[in-house]
Amino acid sequence: PELPPGQDGDSKEAASSSDSSLFWSENPEDYENHPDFIAMQAAMDEFTPFEEAEAWKKQGNDKVRLARKAAYAHMKRRYQREAVVLYSRAIGKAKEDPETPAAFLSTCYNNRAQMNLTLTNYRSALEDAEEAIRLDGTSKKAYFRGVKAALELKDAEKAADLGRRGIPHSGGDREYAELMREVDRVAVEVGEERREESRRADESL
């Protein structure tokens, strides 16, 4: 389907400098009545669900880039939260299209997992990482993010399981090896905490 004016897919420079709503860093006032927003919506009505999912994913990626450049913490978090919403829209639309590649969905879940990690939504991050792994069992980033989320949740068993499964896909990455040492350390801590809890429970009898 044709894109709104200024979104010629053959011109990256035109796209990057376009005022189209697809490239807004933030919504202006009364954006729903903005001509560019209306034009984008009209174009997206002609998209297949997968094509619409690709558009939402791109907007999510744009928000991530804005978050990285933001000078203030509250703006970083705002863009990160917006990225989560956009990746969620991409996932929802992608699931409507039977032609959606599993790798695309895996990437969307993986990207959302990273944002949820950053926002300290650890349970959601773990669920997203596990879904990304289910769709693409070779994704080192998904294993890495899943392990980190599990560690934050003090789920040593889950962290160890994901960590071990990800080792064949880590390519000897040093950061991944350091993460696995962290898994071992947390496993020891959790074991000691459980033993202490058990001891206190016995003493209270």
Side-chain angles (χ1 to χ4, degrees):
E2 294 184 2
L3 295 172
Q7 293 187 39
D8 184 355
D10 293 330
S11 175
K12 294 181 180 178
E13 182 177 351
S16 63
S17 61
S18 171
D19 289 332
S20 165
S21 59
L22 187 62
F23 301 97
W24 287 343
S25 61
E26 58 184 65
N27 293 334
E29 291 184 10
D30 197 27
Y31 72 92
E32 291 181 343
N33 293 318
H34 193 288
D36 288 333
F37 182 83
I38 294 170
M40 187 198 76
Q41 289 298 110
M44 291 182 76
D45 286 343
E46 300 179 8
F47 285 5
T48 66
F50 176 58
E51 288 170 333
E52 188 173 342
E54 287 184 306
W56 289 126
K57 174 177 172 286
K58 184 193 180 303
Q59 289 190 61
N61 292 345
D62 290 342
K63 294 294 184 181
V64 172
R65 282 189 283 271
L66 286 169
R68 289 172 180 164
K69 295 177 181 178
Y72 300 102
H74 73 280
M75 290 303 298
K76 285 182 181 291
R77 292 184 65 82
R78 171 184 167 179
Y79 289 135
Q80 288 159 354
R81 287 192 295 266
E82 289 175 351
V84 168
V85 171
L86 291 164
Y87 289 137
S88 297
R89 290 179 184 173
I91 289 166
K93 278 297 173 183
K95 287 182 174 180
E96 294 178 13
D97 195 330
E99 300 301 317
T100 296
F104 175 86
L105 261 175
S106 179
T107 298
C108 290
Y109 277 109
N110 211 343
N111 291 356
R112 194 171 70 177
Q114 177 58 38
M115 288 300 96
N116 276 321
L117 264 179
T118 305
L119 292 166
T120 68
N121 301 327
Y122 299 126
R123 179 62 59 186
S124 295
L126 177 57
E127 291 172 357
D128 282 344
E130 289 191 292
E131 185 62 15
I133 291 166
R134 187 188 68 80
L135 292 160
D136 179 8
T138 66
S139 174
K140 179 181 72 174
K141 288 183 178 180
Y143 286 110
F144 188 91
R145 290 162 182 167
V147 172
K148 285 185 73 69
L151 287 174
E152 292 291 348
L153 294 167
K154 296 293 185 180
D155 190 340
E157 293 177 0
K158 175 68 73 175
D161 174 60
L162 288 173
R164 285 192 295 267
R165 287 163 54 196
I167 288 173
H169 312 292
S170 67
D173 182 77
R174 181 180 300 176
E175 193 173 5
Y176 197 94
E178 291 176 356
L179 183 65
M180 290 306 296
R181 285 193 287 272
E182 177 70 5
V183 169
D184 292 339
R185 186 185 67 77
V186 171
V188 170
E189 287 182 358
V190 170
E192 291 176 348
E193 289 173 2
R194 288 177 178 173
R195 286 190 292 273
E196 179 63 18
E197 289 173 1
S198 178
R199 183 186 65 79
R200 289 177 180 175
D202 290 343
E203 290 177 350
S204 66
L205 295 177

